[in-house]
Amino acid sequence: MEALAKFKKELSSPKKIFITTHVKPDADALGSSLGLANYLIKKGHDVSVVTPTDYPYFLTWMKGNDEVLDFSKASDKPLATAKLEEAEMIFCLDFSVLNRVNELGEMIRKSKAFVVNIDHHQDPEDFADFRFWSTKAAATCELVYELIVEMGDKSLIDKEIAECLYAGIMTDTGGFRHPNTTKNVHLVVAELIDIGADSAQISNLIYDSNSVNRLKFIGFAITRRLVVREDLHTAYFVISKKDLKKYQSQTGDTEGLVNYALSLDGIKLAALFSEREDGIKISFRSSSDVAVNKFAASYFSGGGHKNAAGGKSTQSLKDTVERFESLVTQCQEELFHSESVTVD
Ligand SMILES: [Mn+2]
């Protein structure tokens, strides 16, 4: 309670505020950042939102998008750096370890500003002065909603803020299908709809805005790049740099692809390996009875949630996939039959 009181006191006078979120922001990352930014602006603060990298085109409809600075863009970097240096408060949203924001991480660590961490990932690093954190929350957007209510400011949530928050909750629950879709999720979302979030319109903006190239890429990946190992309850995609180039892949184009592998009958573990400029990026998904975050953390320098995690590898694409297959073979007992994996 003491930390919350201190946090409230910090916000009781106008502040210069810097909000950031993890690399390659998804709807929860950007929605929580912009939902919070729009609220803090209404409270009279001077707010900047800076992302460590670019993000998918299907998120650019959110209010405040045009003012977002991309730290990886040479033209935005000087202003973003100045905003961080002058900030009195820094909000870190939808990530719990500072290496999730690249170069910004060390700058935040060194900053004298009051640092706030709002997040729902496992094992948070101790870098914040105030942490509003719960792994029970399905999305950081759910926590931002709760924090605004906690501040006694529910009446300040308008249609645009509700839309940002709705988007993050919708996508982090896989369209209200994942095991994290709790009663509270439905209650929060009901409030957001009441305030004016249009559920059909938001799902249309996010899920039904494919380019022809993206749809063809998904078709290609399912036809040519899907490996199914029924004996291991596992299916995965292997996407090379060449594949991404051929389909003129944009940021966000591989998002959701891994779910097709998990949708197969009998498959409990799904992965997507994609070859990027800086190494192999890995997404893991699992059915509700399989914990994939520990596996990602132990073997692929990653982590995340029980049923959705990420990782990376500096080996070649081929070697990474071979290593993955042999690890799944070795860890079968632990992954698919253990009773002790029910961490949330
Ligand atoms: Mn999230």
Side-chain angles (χ1 to χ4, degrees):
M1 258 340 249
E2 203 186 307
L4 181 67
K6 215 171 157 216
F7 168 74
K8 285 183 177 173
K9 191 166 172 275
E10 282 290 323
L11 277 180
S12 63
S13 59
K15 287 279 166 356
K16 290 193 175 80
I17 294 178
F18 182 94
I19 300 177
T20 193
T21 186
H22 61 74
V23 291
K24 294 289 173 187
D26 54 16
D28 189 33
L30 194 71
S32 60
S33 298
L34 289 175
L36 179 72
N38 290 319
Y39 157 69
L40 292 171
I41 289 167
K42 275 183 138 179
K43 292 277 280 181
H45 302 286
D46 174 1
V47 186
S48 311
V49 176
V50 175
T51 56
T53 66
D54 65 342
Y55 48 83
Y57 58 87
F58 52 81
L59 301 179
T60 53
W61 53 268
M62 291 181 190
K63 187 185 175 191
N65 171 74
D66 294 348
E67 282 81 50
V68 174
L69 298 169
D70 173 357
F71 195 76
S72 69
K73 245 169 79 182
S75 55
D76 285 0
K77 198 169 177 170
L79 182 57
T81 306
K83 290 289 181 190
L84 180 57
E85 282 167 356
E86 71 180 28
E88 296 163 280
M89 290 183 87
I90 298 173
F91 283 75
C92 299
L93 267 58
D94 201 36
F95 67 92
S96 61
V97 286
L98 284 174
N99 69 11
R100 291 282 284 137
V101 290
N102 293 347
E103 238 183 286
L104 283 169
E106 280 316 301
M107 294 165 73
I108 292 169
R109 201 189 298 284
K110 286 184 192 127
S111 170
K112 298 266 185 291
F114 187 92
V115 177
V116 181
N117 185 204
I118 308 177
D119 183 50
H120 66 135
H121 292 87
Q122 305 260 339
D123 306 323
E125 187 181 331
D126 187 16
F127 65 85
D129 298 294
F130 174 61
R131 187 191 286 158
F132 199 75
W133 172 85
S134 169
T135 53
K136 299 257 186 300
T140 298
C141 283
E142 185 184 347
L143 291 170
V144 167
Y145 172 84
E146 275 165 8
L147 185 62
I148 297 174
V149 172
E150 175 68 46
M151 297 291 291
D153 288 331
K154 194 177 157 198
S155 63
L156 290 182
I157 303 178
D158 55 24
K159 184 176 187 291
E160 285 81 13
I161 295 174
E163 286 169 345
C164 293
L165 301 182
Y166 184 95
I169 298 174
M170 178 183 78
T171 55
D172 264 26
T173 55
F176 308 105
R177 293 187 309 139
H178 294 336
N180 60 0
T181 314
T182 58
K183 178 183 171 185
N184 191 56
V185 160
H186 285 293
L187 289 172
V188 170
V189 153
E191 293 288 339
L192 296 175
I193 290 172
D194 214 27
I195 292 164
D198 183 333
S199 56
Q201 189 194 26
I202 296 169
S203 45
N204 185 270
L205 285 165
I206 289 187
Y207 293 130
D208 300 328
S209 59
N210 280 323
S211 62
V212 174
N213 267 332
R214 183 183 185 214
L215 210 57
K216 286 187 174 173
F217 168 72
I218 291 170
F220 161 81
I222 293 172
T223 315
R224 306 281 302 276
R225 297 290 184 259
L226 177 64
V227 180
V228 182
R229 287 286 309 265
E230 280 176 54
D231 56 325
L232 297 173
H233 312 292
T234 298
Y236 59 87
F237 288 101
V238 185
I239 307 292
S240 71
K241 218 183 275 180
K242 226 169 117 191
D243 296 337
L244 294 170
K245 202 168 166 213
K246 186 174 166 200
Y247 288 90
Q248 295 160 39
S249 174
Q250 307 287 313
T251 293
D253 277 2
T254 55
E255 203 160 301
L257 182 61
V258 65
N259 295 319
Y260 288 99
L262 192 65
S263 74
L264 286 163
D265 189 25
I267 295 302
K268 289 166 175 265
L269 173 61
L272 163 66
F273 300 88
S274 56
E275 190 182 18
R276 306 284 168 159
E277 290 307 323
D278 53 351
I280 311 299
K281 183 184 168 227
I282 315 169
S283 300
F284 296 106
R285 295 290 182 277
S286 62
S287 56
S288 57
D289 52 340
V290 174
V292 83
N293 50 349
K294 272 192 191 167
F295 181 79
S298 304
Y299 305 113
F300 293 100
S301 326
H305 309 292
K306 183 185 168 193
N307 301 123
K312 56 192 173 191
S313 162
T314 49
Q315 290 183 295
S316 71
L317 188 58
K318 187 168 167 282
D319 290 348
T320 303
V321 171
E322 278 178 13
R323 183 161 167 259
F324 168 73
E325 277 220 11
S326 77
L327 284 165
V328 174
T329 310
Q330 275 171 44
C331 302
Q332 265 189 89
E333 194 61 33
E334 188 194 328
L335 278 167
F336 304 119
H337 305 293
S338 170
E339 298 295 317
S340 64
V341 292
T342 49
V343 280
D344 54 10

